[in-house]
Amino acid sequence: MPVPPTSGRLQWTDVPTPLRARLEDALGAPVTDTVTPAGGFGHQLAAALTLADGQRAFVKAAPDHDPLTDANVHEAAVLGSLPPGAPAPDLLGIHRAADWTAVVIAHLDGPHPDLSPASGDAEQTWALLDKITSSPAPAPYAAAVNGTSSTTAALHGWDELLADPPADLAPAARDRLPQLAELEAAWPGLAHGDRIVHGDLRADNMVRDHHLGVTLVDWAHATTGPACIDAASLAPQLILAGHTPADVARLLRDHPATASSPETTTAFLAALTGHWHRSARQPAPPGASGLRAYQHRAAAAGFALLSCRLG
Ligand SMILES: Nc1ncnc2c1ncn2[C@@H]1O[C@H](COP(=O)(O)OP(=O)(O)OP(=O)(O)O)[C@@H](O)[C@H]1O
Ligand SMILES: [Mg+2]
């Protein structure tokens, strides 16, 4: 699957000197090289650092007035609370200086997973989602995310499209607007649960590490919720990567995270797909080139999957 382009990210040299010095001090060697991986739409620093002693570390940093700092601090708390063996990189530290905050994370070495049918990465990802959702979130994780309302609970879009259908909406979607608006309206009432939810699952928020295998990164939206959220989020991504909607619908029907809650799964998929349809038609935010085009593609994939589920 083509990974959305990275654009407009802050660079290592944009980080205030006192924070760079603090990080080099904590890591024990000067930074000799930085690479900004492709993927994501954010504007903050998100870079792999190489140090003079050959070590590598991954750093996310932003000014404290930037809302991404709160998201990074949340991500750090989550990474520090996940159970051993969870498919996530280790937290190495949080550092603050000059009104900036940096979160240092163990570096993962490898590409984004290949979610196409020919690769085993999709299967590996399904297995990981089964593993992390098969029992309630452990207490330290629940405490770390406590009070964070799930951003997924607020997803919607069909309500607005129903009120004012855009001219470019596919006829098949237009025909189903009342049904889709009703399904997504049920979602907020179903969005609660006690399982680990990554909350932003896409190929570019995963790395296939050469040693650890497929590993989930970017835990900034992590919460607790129903088991189905991440598996249902992965499903349209598989369609974008070349799986047929019918195959993905079958996988979703049988996966342990979604099989026992078909109504919640469908309500979530309706809300997520509505969000994509609505957002794709809004003006592009600065510094996030590629986002609207991605949302158009994702909206079509989500709708194809919903059509299979709804018959
Ligand atoms: N621990 C890591 N080691 C190596 N590369 C990583 C690591 N974590 C993330 N990446 C890579 O860096 C990219 C950006 O990281 P991440 O997604 O965490 O940042 P973000 O700014 O929150 O992203 P988004 O733009 O999705 O909001 C990821 O798409 C991934 O390619
Ligand atoms: Mg990301």
Side-chain angles (χ1 to χ4, degrees), residues 9 37-38 40-42 44 58 60 106 108 112 202 204-205 217-218:
R9 279 208 190 269
F41 305 101
Q44 65 176 323
F58 188 76
K60 294 171 78 163
L108 299 169
H112 296 296
R202 305 187 305 245
D204 63 279
N205 281 337
V217 299
D218 200 357

Side-chain angles (χ1 to χ4, degrees), residues 97-115:
D99 299 322
W100 276 55
T101 300
V103 172
V104 187
I105 300 169
H107 179 258
L108 299 169
D109 199 7
H112 296 296
D114 170 6
L115 298 180

Side-chain angles (χ1 to χ4, degrees), residues 219-244:
W219 288 78
H221 298 285
T223 53
T224 47
C228 67
I229 291 181
D230 288 332
S233 300
L234 179 65
Q237 302 298 323
L238 297 187
I239 295 171
L240 289 175
H243 295 254
T244 68

Side-chain angles (χ1 to χ4, degrees), residues 263-286:
E263 279 172 23
T264 306
T265 303
T266 302
F268 171 69
L269 274 174
L272 178 63
T273 305
H275 160 79
W276 280 328
H277 272 281
R278 178 176 59 84
S279 306
R281 291 174 168 83
Q282 290 175 354

Side-chain angles (χ1 to χ4, degrees), residues 3-6 9 35-48 56-60 68 71-72 75 79 88-90 104-112 198 200 202-207 209 215-221:
V3 169
T6 303
R9 279 208 190 269
V35 173
T36 300
F41 305 101
H43 56 268
Q44 65 176 323
L45 174 83
R56 291 167 97 186
F58 188 76
V59 177
K60 294 171 78 163
L68 287 178
N72 291 343
E75 177 172 9
L79 292 178
D90 289 336
V104 187
I105 300 169
H107 179 258
L108 299 169
D109 199 7
H112 296 296
H198 174 281
D200 195 14
R202 305 187 305 245
D204 63 279
N205 281 337
M206 301 184 240
V207 174
D209 179 78
T215 304
L216 312 189
V217 299
D218 200 357
W219 288 78
H221 298 285

